[in-house]
Amino acid sequence: MKRGKKARTVKQDDDQKLWRRSLDPVEVWDSDQEWEVGEIVDVWDDPMDPKRASRKYKVSWIDWQREDGSNTTWMSEQECQDSLPNILKAWKSKYSQGKAKLPPLPESHQTSLFHLDLEETLLNIHYVPLTTPATSTSRKRKTPPSRVVDDDDDELDIIDMAAPSPPRAATPPQPAVRMRKSVRAVSASTQSSRAVSEELPTQYDSPSPPRPAHPVPSSSGSPYKRPRIPPINTTPARRPSIASTSTPSSSRTLVNPVSAPSSSHQGKSRGKGQSKVTIMNDWDTGEASVITVLNEVDDEEGPPLPEWFKYLEAKYLRDDETTIDSSFFAACDGSTGRCTNPDACDCQSDSTLKNDVGERIVAYDRQRRYTFPAPGGALVIECNEACECEPDTCVNRVAQRPRDVALQIFKTADANARAAQRGWGVRVTERLQRGQVIGLYTGELMCVVLCFLCLRGDLRLIVVACRPRVKAHRLKAPQKHYVFDIDFNENAEQDDDMSEKWSVLSYNCGNWSRFLNHSCDPNVRLYPVLFDHPQIPKLAFVAAKDITPFDELVIDYLDAAGVRTAALKRERLKRPKDSTACLCGAGPAKCRRWFPG
Ligand SMILES: C[S@@+](CC[C@H](N)C(=O)[O-])C[C@H]1O[C@@H](n2cnc3c(N)ncnc32)[C@H](O)[C@@H]1O
């Protein structure tokens, strides 16, 4: 077996990081105008700064507010000393001397590292940057009633919005604001997303970075005035409330270019010609084919996704590995035609794929169709970056190619009203042949060693925690509905050491495949395939039969749960406690009436 020739370092793709700091929004102020200070409503200390030298105070303003109704900014201790010494003194005597306690954190915001229950919330840790002032922002007091803007106006003012927000009367000059695009989903608000945006800190709610003291405000009018150069607000990472969802943002709407024949839909319909197909522009599919969204059933604009959802076309989110040395890959020398012969292609030397008569075979035919070499879903080992074969022509590189099947995410509706509970699903808009590889399952890899700094008071602890499959299996709804195991060992679920196995969670990040529904009579199968990592396989979806346009793509969730053989499925016929009633409509002869999860 030949190894990769040169040691190669693959840097972790920045895109894999779920959280990325956005550009700071900038507020521009009329330097001559002054506003009256209300009170100090909050305080924030940098957990990395035990001496509290960088303490910030959140100050409310009486006659000024932003378009989103918020009226607070953050000021440094020095700025408060200079500008509002009495208010600062009063605040300190009230809170710092233990005479009063800051209001308790709302439960939904207790996500700072100080509150983490490792067992239950390990999943969330890497979303929580150490310096996020989660505790302080969540203590934000409710905007006084006079500040609450009415429902129609309650949109953040975001450059790039399709429709400009309506003009407002009787507000001071509004700061010109640049905000990152991702907030659009919140601003294009439904009632629920609005509720979230009120409760959560806005981008302005974050403390400003250390900066020189500002001039003392003028003494005219109220004793406390806004400093002439206002603080520059920065945007710390924040993780929105778990319950919040957003409809697709930054997408392009077309009128009905690829909708299914209307006869295929029953139930509440928008009527012929009114359905809108939306191209998911903000899902970075790279070179892969387009993904559209269509709802011909009701008024839901798009599939519900967590507000922070990150689209990953073909990669796992895994924080543990920054480098993969290609010397770990078995590589072939690419001599012409050798990859078609598993005995000649070094990559495939460990492959166990065999045909019906026991001959070793390549996983794909010359049309790049999967040959279903093993009913148990044996591991496919494709050629990789360290190989010398020609990527465009090698027959053993299929799952790693950009997805060339256009997909549509659509709201399901079946004859049976209950079946509509299946929510959103995925379908093709073109014909697929049996064996055609559709794409890969992506999401967060759930077997990683996390290394993070935990702060308790002045103590800094390095905590190393494993987030094995066993944790994935303990997830509660709604996350638990988006966990797939990627075993390729038929009996893997019987092994004791679950930490060695991988699960992938596609709730927080993932791709179109998170919308694949279950059927006991699936038209899509999964197989594990290695190509970009020496040990951790991807799961590839493949057409298990010929599929006609607008057929829903459905998989058997028991396949995904690592139960592939008929024997094991029979064993599992007894419905487990934590299963879900199946509405696949496959008919009594085929439907098991439940699926895992
Ligand atoms: C991975 S998600 C699939 C996408 C989901 N339909 C959505 O709208 O987000 C799995 C969930 O879809 C629903 N689902 C999928 N297949 C189903 C079926 N055959 N019967 C009932 N519910 C199903 C269940 O709520 C399940 O927990």
Side-chain angles (χ1 to χ4, degrees), residues 585-597:
K590 287 185 174 161
C591 182
R592 285 188 294 264
R593 300 184 202 290
W594 61 270
F595 60 83

Side-chain angles (χ1 to χ4, degrees), residues 422 424 481-482 514-518 557 581-584 595:
R422 294 184 311 126
W424 293 76
H481 300 308
Y482 296 88
R514 82 193 287 287
F515 296 107
L516 285 170
N517 285 320
H518 163 85
Y557 284 2
C582 180
L583 303 170
C584 74
F595 60 83

Side-chain angles (χ1 to χ4, degrees), residues 39-113:
E39 56 180 340
I40 292 176
V41 295
D42 204 353
V43 62
W44 174 77
D45 287 311
D46 184 345
M48 306 296 283
D49 173 15
K51 294 194 174 159
R52 296 177 178 160
S54 51
R55 171 171 276 201
K56 302 282 184 300
Y57 294 91
K58 190 194 251 186
V59 177
S60 69
W61 300 90
I62 287 176
D63 51 0
W64 172 88
Q65 69 177 54
R66 299 184 185 88
E67 286 200 4
D68 68 353
S70 63
N71 68 337
T72 56
T73 59
W74 290 89
M75 295 173 72
S76 71
E77 177 110 28
Q78 188 60 53
E79 287 167 339
C80 291
Q81 285 286 8
D82 292 345
S83 312
L84 2 147
N86 293 343
I87 287 184
L88 182 62
K89 201 170 158 197
W91 187 91
K92 281 190 171 171
S93 69
K94 189 173 175 192
Y95 290 110
S96 303
Q97 315 293 324
K99 288 182 188 159
K101 286 207 159 101
L102 284 167
L105 295 173
E107 210 172 293
S108 61
H109 285 165
Q110 293 187 356
T111 53
S112 80
L113 285 180

Side-chain angles (χ1 to χ4, degrees), residues 158-165 184 187:
I158 297 166
I159 291 173
D160 223 0
M161 281 289 288
S165 57
R184 287 182 64 176
S187 65

Side-chain angles (χ1 to χ4, degrees), residues 518-596:
H518 163 85
S519 173
C520 301
D521 183 20
N523 56 8
V524 171
R525 293 264 176 206
L526 303 93
Y527 65 89
V529 52
L530 274 183
F531 58 84
D532 59 353
H533 191 283
Q535 286 154 337
I536 305 177
K538 291 281 187 318
L539 275 183
F541 297 100
V542 56
K545 37 180 105 161
D546 291 349
I547 300 176
T548 49
F550 301 107
D551 277 358
E552 181 177 358
L553 301 182
V554 279
I555 55 171
D556 184 342
Y557 284 2
L558 277 186
D559 275 357
V563 184
R564 292 185 193 85
T565 61
L568 279 170
K569 278 182 185 160
R570 268 196 302 280
E571 266 177 41
R572 292 290 184 94
L573 276 181
K574 201 167 155 232
R575 182 173 173 174
K577 236 167 126 191
D578 60 349
S579 60
T580 304
C582 180
L583 303 170
C584 74
K590 287 185 174 161
C591 182
R592 285 188 294 264
R593 300 184 202 290
W594 61 270
F595 60 83

